[in-house]
Amino acid sequence: MGKQKDIRAVRGDAGNKFIAGSMADCIGPEDLAKMKDMDIQEADAGKLADILEIEIDRDLSDTEKKREFIRQIGNPYLYRQGEYVVKLSFADTDATLTDRLKEYIEHMAAAGL
């Protein structure tokens, strides 16, 4: 499986522009890029946060909710959901989810499904 990486090792120096809030203050743009580029096969699943265990106080402001999520998840691109390791990535496109769903529904309708 190769060398396993701990997300906690991918945190940056204090000279970067940060995502504001507690542990999230330690995450700069370069750190987010490193998190995004982490190889799912090199990740140590036991050290990844489980998204099912994250609890956010609904009374917090939107900004505070984001800070708390980042604090708890560690790496928003690579985490666990129960026994599964999840790697998020996004296409470089201007199409929205709504656009894609509309295309899918139109395609299914045209195919008679």
Side-chain angles (χ1 to χ4, degrees):
M1 173 136 98
K3 192 159 95 175
Q4 294 183 336
K5 294 183 181 178
D6 181 353
I7 184 56
R8 289 168 271 236
V10 185
R11 299 232 169 95
D13 65 338
N16 294 324
K17 184 175 179 182
F18 301 119
I19 296 172
S22 63
M23 187 224 61
D25 284 332
C26 298
I27 301 174
E30 292 90 15
D31 301 311
L32 282 174
K34 288 178 188 176
M35 289 178 186
K36 180 180 172 185
D37 293 338
M38 285 186 72
D39 186 341
I40 191 171
Q41 300 209 356
E42 292 182 4
D44 183 348
K47 293 182 180 179
L48 296 174
D50 188 339
I51 199 164
L52 299 175
E53 296 175 2
I54 291 180
E55 295 183 17
I56 307 293
D57 182 349
R58 294 177 187 260
D59 294 330
L60 296 173
S61 70
D62 288 346
T63 299
E64 290 169 327
K65 287 176 187 174
K66 291 173 189 174
R67 290 176 181 162
E68 186 60 15
F69 177 77
I70 293 294
R71 185 188 70 75
Q72 290 185 45
I73 199 75
N75 182 346
Y77 297 102
L78 187 63
Y79 56 85
R80 280 185 306 113
Q81 182 171 342
E83 65 183 88
Y84 300 100
V85 175
V86 176
K87 169 83 178 189
L88 290 183
S89 62
F90 302 93
D92 187 17
T93 180
D94 291 332
T96 66
L97 178 58
T98 302
D99 296 337
R100 295 296 186 213
L101 287 172
K102 182 179 174 187
E103 288 174 16
Y104 175 74
I105 292 167
E106 289 171 351
H107 173 75
M108 296 301 281
L113 299 175

